[in-house]
């Protein structure tokens, strides 16, 4: 196991430099306001002046994001630690102030007439900011007045942001008591979820019953949290003149509503694939499956991995694909930028944090030794590789939209699948193929189901003013029935699963990006299988591009047209051909 070394940032949580750096960032952003408030809207604004503004602003953001990242990572290491809680609260307070003080620039720059904005956008001196200006011009109808932008920024932490934090604190504090092998054990969220992959059918079902029972017990809290987040998000989307709440996320993801609708529809139409697979699995297991059994292992003995074994598999996979990518992946272990240990109070799940283009992303995992955890390690390192390669971009073009952010992570999982398959016996191979089908179903169909639930729950709350715990459970039940049909039994406690999904609380309408990226990667991976080593330079160039152009334009350069419905169909054909057809 490994723990990250946060002394990369500051010597300790007590370091006085933390607050000083936040204060300095705030001073510098106020100075920027004074220098550029009038200049940005002045018709005589030159490309040189605007370039200077972007560069000075970037310095402030880098300093602030560096300090904020530290506080965030420290807090997620132990959400129950009082010092970490205070630092994170302070970080969010400064983040809100920075956002509020810098909210002037878009409304001021958009006061320029269309001709002037186009001149600036195509100026040679501003070539590194062309896409920044393209996005800004497109966003004109969604940018509010200076005062309104300032109010939204100032109020975030005491509105939606506050409920997001409450959700995180509540769920990360949960522990679950279960009897395992005659011994009563207290388990964390990741440990309970990992029991779904145990051979013992009674343990799987009891674990998930206890897991969702906790959420049902706090139903009033989750009902209030979710309703408040949805109403706040949807109000902002309405104020910004978006057609639908999801349109605000689509705009930020730089993908048209129609393309997202196509991906959701194509995936929903393919759900019979899920029904077919789970009928096959039920017969193979010889049981009448419930949702608690959908990740049950087919192999008699469940293969487990130490963290060191997982590290070797993943690094070998990346090195065999490309030397540079392998070296980047290995640097995470050498520089202690991975926290894989399971601890009480540590945030559940997994993520990669890359707040600024400094080639130093950090990874949080909760490693339990399952094959799924090996894939998760590869997944998060994919994010880390993306964040490292994109570091040659300025901060404005650094973070890829969510639709592209999952590409490198899912590609990494595919590399690991190809690495592991030849090492397995026939029985293990079937079990592993099945496990990966289930992983893809989780990434594609499950996330699609959650996206549909989000759309319907936001609509319900908009129409009725709120939605009760029971109504939300009923909406989720309907989506479960569409995804699984009659292939599994849906226990009542699973109706509450929506409350345990962090993304719909922290980043509304995030989840479709997983499905989008998975289907995209299946196309990229097929291309790699055909082209071999010559594919790597094109792939790395795609990752290096960060967000310097829209996903549609970046992908067009490597021969992919995401507006074509047939393109999305190919991913499902690949799963049927390369995975499902080989199970028997």
């Amino acid at each position: 196991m490994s723990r990250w070394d946060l002394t990369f940032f500051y010597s300790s949580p007590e370091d006085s430099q933390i607050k000083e750096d936040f204060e300095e960032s705030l001073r510098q952003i106020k100075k920027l306001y004074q220098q550029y408030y009038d200049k940005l809207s002045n018709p005589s604004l030159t490309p040189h002046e605007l370039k200077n503004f972007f560069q000075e602003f970037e310095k402030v953001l880098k300093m602030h994001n560096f300090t904020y990242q530290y506080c965030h990572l420290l807090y997620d290491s132990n959400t129950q630690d009082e010092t970490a809680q205070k630092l994170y609260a302070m970080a969010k307070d400064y983040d809100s102030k920075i956002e509020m003080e810098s909210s002037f620039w878009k409304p001021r720059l958009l006061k320029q007439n269309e001709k002037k904005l186009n001149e600036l956008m195509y100026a040679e001196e501003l070539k590194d900011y062309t896409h920044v200006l393209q996005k800004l011009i497109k966003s004109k109808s969604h940018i509010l007045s200076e005062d309104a932008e300032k109010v939204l920024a100032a109020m975030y932490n005491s509105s939606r942001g506050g409920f997001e934090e409450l959700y995180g604190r509540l769920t990360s504090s949960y522990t679950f008591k279960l009897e395992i092998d005659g011994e009563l054990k207290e388990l964390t969220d990741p440990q309970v979820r990992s029991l779904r992959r145990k051979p013992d059918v009674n343990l799987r079902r009891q674990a998930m019953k206890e897991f969702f029972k906790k959420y049902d017990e706090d139903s009033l809290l989750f009902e209030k949290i979710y309703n408040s987040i949805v109403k706040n998000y949807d109000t902002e989307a309405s104020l910004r003149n978006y057609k639908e709440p999801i349109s605000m996320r689509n705009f930020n993801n730089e993908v048209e509503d129609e393309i997202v609708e196509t991906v959701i529809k194509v995936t929903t139409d393919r759900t019979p694939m899920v029904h077919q697979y789970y009928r096959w699995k039920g017969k193979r297991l010889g049981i009448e499956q419930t949702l608690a059994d959908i990740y049950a292992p087919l192999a008699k003995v469940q293969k487990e991995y130490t963290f060191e074994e997982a590290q070797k598999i993943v690094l070998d996979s990346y090195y065999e694909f490309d030397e540079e990518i392998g070296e980047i992946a290995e640097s995470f272990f050498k520089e202690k930028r991975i926290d894989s240990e399971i601890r009480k109070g540590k945030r559940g799940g997994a993520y990669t944090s890359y707040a600024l283009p400094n080639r130093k992303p950090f990874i949080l995992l909760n490693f339990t030794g399952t094959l799924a955890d090996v894939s998760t390690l590869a997944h998060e390192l994919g994010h880390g590789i993306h964040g490292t390669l994109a570091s040659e971009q300025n901060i404005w073009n650094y973070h890829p939209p969510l639709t592209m952010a999952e590409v490198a992570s899912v590609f990494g999982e595919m590399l690991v699948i190809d690495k592991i398959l030849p090492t397995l016996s026939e029985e293990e191979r079937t079990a592993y193929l099945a496990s990966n089908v289930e992983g893809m179903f989780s990434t594609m169909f499950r996330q699609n189901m959650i996206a549909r639930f989000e759309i319907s729950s936001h609509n319900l709350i908009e129409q009725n003013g709120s939605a009760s715990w029971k109504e939300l459970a009923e909406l989720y039940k309907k989506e479960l029935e569409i995804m699984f049909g009659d292939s599994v039994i849906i226990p009542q406690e699973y109706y509450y699963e929506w409350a345990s999904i962090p993304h719909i609380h922290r980043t509304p309408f995030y989840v479709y990006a997983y499905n989008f990226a998975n289907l995209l990667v299946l196309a990229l991976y097929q291309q790699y299988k055909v082209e071999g080593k010559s594919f790597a330079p094109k792939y790395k160039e795609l990752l290096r591009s960060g967000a310097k152009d829209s996903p549609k334009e970046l992908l067009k350069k490597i021969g992919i047209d995401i507006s074509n419905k047939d393109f999305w169909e190919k991913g499902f054909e690949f799963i049927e051909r390369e995975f499902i057809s080989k199970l028997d």
Side-chain angles (χ1 to χ4, degrees), residues 50-67:
L50 185 54
K51 183 181 179 181
N52 283 344
F53 167 75
F54 282 131
Q55 289 177 336
E56 291 302 313
F57 196 177
E58 180 167 15
K59 287 178 189 174
V60 179
L61 290 177
K62 280 183 174 179
M63 178 187 289
H64 170 71
N65 287 4
F66 183 84
T67 314

Side-chain angles (χ1 to χ4, degrees), residues 406-418:
E406 296 296 332
V407 167
S409 52
V410 179
F411 195 90
E413 290 185 62
M414 297 298 291
L415 291 171
V416 165
I417 291 170
D418 272 357

Side-chain angles (χ1 to χ4, degrees), residues 97-113:
K97 288 174 182 174
I98 294 284
E99 185 72 23
M100 186 175 66
E101 293 293 340
S102 63
S103 63
F104 74 94
W105 78 272
K106 290 180 182 179
R108 295 302 294 175
L109 192 52
L110 284 173
K111 285 184 178 292
Q112 299 282 3
N113 62 42

Side-chain angles (χ1 to χ4, degrees), residues 193 195-209 212 277-298 434-435 438 484 487-491 493-494:
R193 289 180 192 263
L195 295 178
R196 294 174 298 175
R197 292 179 165 84
K198 294 293 183 185
D200 185 339
V201 61
N202 293 323
L203 178 60
R204 291 195 301 265
R205 293 176 182 180
Q206 187 58 34
M208 297 321 292
K209 185 169 272 195
F212 293 124
Y277 170 79
Y278 279 110
R279 287 191 198 105
W280 170 85
K281 185 176 183 181
K283 287 176 186 173
R284 184 73 184 243
L285 289 172
I287 62 170
E288 196 172 16
Q289 290 179 106
T290 77
L291 275 178
D293 304 314
I294 61 173
Y295 301 114
L298 289 180
S435 173
E438 291 157 17
F484 292 99
S487 64
V488 300
I489 295 166
I490 303 170
E493 63 265 18
Y494 268 85

Side-chain angles (χ1 to χ4, degrees), residues 267-404:
T267 307
T268 305
D269 289 345
R270 287 286 191 152
T271 50
M273 183 192 298
V274 180
H275 311 165
Q276 176 194 357
Y277 170 79
Y278 279 110
R279 287 191 198 105
W280 170 85
K281 185 176 183 181
K283 287 176 186 173
R284 184 73 184 243
L285 289 172
I287 62 170
E288 196 172 16
Q289 290 179 106
T290 77
L291 275 178
D293 304 314
I294 61 173
Y295 301 114
L298 289 180
K300 291 173 185 173
V301 178
Q302 189 183 22
K303 198 161 187 174
E304 293 192 352
Y305 297 82
T306 65
F307 185 70
E308 290 68 32
E309 287 170 336
Q311 175 181 335
K312 185 176 187 319
I313 291 167
V314 173
L315 288 182
D316 286 351
S317 303
Y318 277 122
Y319 266 115
E320 285 167 22
F321 173 68
D322 181 80
E323 186 77 16
E324 181 188 9
I325 280 181
E327 288 171 357
I328 293 170
E330 190 169 16
S331 71
F332 282 83
F333 299 95
K334 287 180 175 177
E335 297 173 7
K336 296 183 179 177
R337 288 187 279 123
I338 300 178
D339 192 322
S340 64
E341 195 178 80
I342 290 178
R343 302 184 298 276
K344 186 177 178 181
K346 179 182 172 183
R347 175 183 155 160
Y351 68 78
T352 303
S353 171
Y354 46 107
L356 66 157
N358 64 353
R359 298 184 66 85
K360 300 295 179 187
F362 278 69
I363 291 173
L364 178 140
L365 299 168
N366 284 274
F367 190 84
T368 63
T370 65
L371 201 48
D373 288 341
V374 180
S375 291
T376 301
L377 178 60
H379 181 103
E380 295 306 332
L381 279 167
H383 281 306
I385 289 161
H386 199 166
T388 303
L389 288 173
S391 288
E392 61 188 56
Q393 300 295 331
N394 59 50
I395 202 164
W396 309 97
N397 293 334
Y398 180 49
H399 292 101
L402 298 178
T403 40
M404 294 296 289

Side-chain angles (χ1 to χ4, degrees), residues 135 233 242 247-255 400-402:
K135 288 191 291 184
Y233 181 90
Y242 285 101
S247 304
M248 183 158 74
R249 181 68 60 208
N250 296 344
F251 185 86
N252 291 331
N253 285 344
E254 296 190 76
V255 61
L402 298 178

